[in-house]
Amino acid sequence: MIASTAPAGKGPAGKGSHRQSQVDPLAPLRAPDDPPWDVYLTGTVFLDIIFTGLDSAPVRGTESWARGMGSSPGGVANMATALARLGLRTSLAAAFGDDHYGDYCWDALEHGEGIDLSPSRTVPGWHSPVTVSMAYEGERTMVSHGHEPPPEEPAPECPPRARAAVASLAPGVSAPWIAQAASKGTRVFGDVGWDDTGAWDLAALPDLRYCEAFLPNAEEAMRYTGADCPRAAAHALTEYVPLAVVTLGADGAYAVDRRTGETAEVPAIEVEALDPTGAGDVFVAGFVTGTLADWPLADRLAFAGLTAALSVQEFGGSLSAPGWSEIAAWWRRVQSVEGQDPAALQRYGFLAGLVSEELVRPWPLRRAVPTIGFRRSA
C-alpha cells in the first residue's frame, strides 16, 4: 500500500469561470470523425448537503453537531463532474428544478465544469431533490427527499453520439437508451446500487447484456453471483459481461477481462477520509477515462483508485473530484516521502507520462460551500 500525505492544494470555492482540463488523456486517439462527446450520462441531480466531523451516528432523541458542512450538486452530477475534470467531453441529460437549488446545480455543472447540458431541461414547478449526508467513522448515513419529474414530451429518440456511456442499472428496469447507444458503438459501463428487492438476480438486470464493463462493489458482486469471495465473484460475472471490476473497499480493486484473460489487482491508497460521498462515482470515472485511453488494465485500476482516494479528502460528492493539477501534485509529493515503497511508486509510474511540473500549481476548482448564496451578480 502506498503512503500518501496531506490532501492536494485546495482552490477557492466560488463562481470562477470554467477552466478546461489541463490534460486531455484521449489526445493521441482523437480524430476528425470522432463522436462529439466522450461520455454520455443520464440520471437525477440532487442538491447534496453534507455534514462531517460527527463523533458517531445520530442518536434518537438527541441533537448532534457537525464540525464541518458542505453543499454541492449530487446524484449523477458526481460522476459527470469527475469525468469532466479528468478531461473527458461530458454530456448529461437530467431534470432540474426551477428553484434556487436547481439554478445553483445547473450553473455549477454547465459554467463551472463545462458539462454539456443541452439534453437536460428545467421543469417548471418541480423542486430539486435533496440529500442530507452525515459522515462519521469512515461511513455515511443519508436522508433524501424528492419526487419524480414529469415525463419529458417528446422523449428523445436516442442519446447523442458518444464514445462511452455510464448506465445505472436497476433490478427489473430496462432503459431503451442503453440498447440504442450500444447499437451505435457506444461503450457502456454498467454501475449498480443495492438491490432493495433482496433477489440479487443478474437476470433482473436486462441491460447488463449491452455493457462492456460492470463495476459493482464486493458485497454486491458476491450477492449477485453467490461466490464466497469478491475475486471469485469477478470471474463469475464475466459470464455475463466482458469486463468485471469489483471494488474491495480498503483493499483496493480487482478486475477480470474475459476477452484477453487478463486479471489485475491494485491495493488502495492509504488516506485519511473526510467525506466518502461520491467516491464510488469518482472511481468509475477514473476507470472509464483509462479504458477510453487504452491503458493497461492495472493502470486503469490504479488511476481509478487514486482519483477516489483524492476525492474523499474533500467535502461533497461532485466538487470533491480531483483535477489533473491535484493528481500531479500528489504524484510529486509521494515521491518525496521518506521510506516510500519503490514497488508501490512503480505502480503509479504511468503518471509520469501524463503530468508535468507545469501542472503543479493552484487550480481554482470549485469546492463544496457551507451555504448557497441566492443573490445573483448583475
Side-chain angles (χ1 to χ4, degrees), residues 79 164-170 177-178 187-193 205 207-217 220 237 241-246 280 284 287-288:
M79 195 173 301
V166 181
S168 182
L169 308 181
W177 74 265
I178 298 176
R187 304 165 73 176
V188 181
F189 294 75
D191 194 11
V192 71
L205 302 177
D207 293 327
L208 184 60
R209 65 181 181 271
Y210 301 116
C211 295
E212 171 177 328
F214 185 45
L215 299 97
N217 64 32
E220 293 160 349
L237 287 172
V241 65
L243 177 59
V245 181
V246 177
V284 173
F287 189 82
V288 170

Side-chain angles (χ1 to χ4, degrees), residues 26 37 51 121 163 197 225 287 308 324 345 353:
L26 306 189
W37 305 110
F51 294 102
R121 70 194 195 281
R163 295 174 187 264
T197 70
T225 61
F287 189 82
W324 283 101
L345 282 177

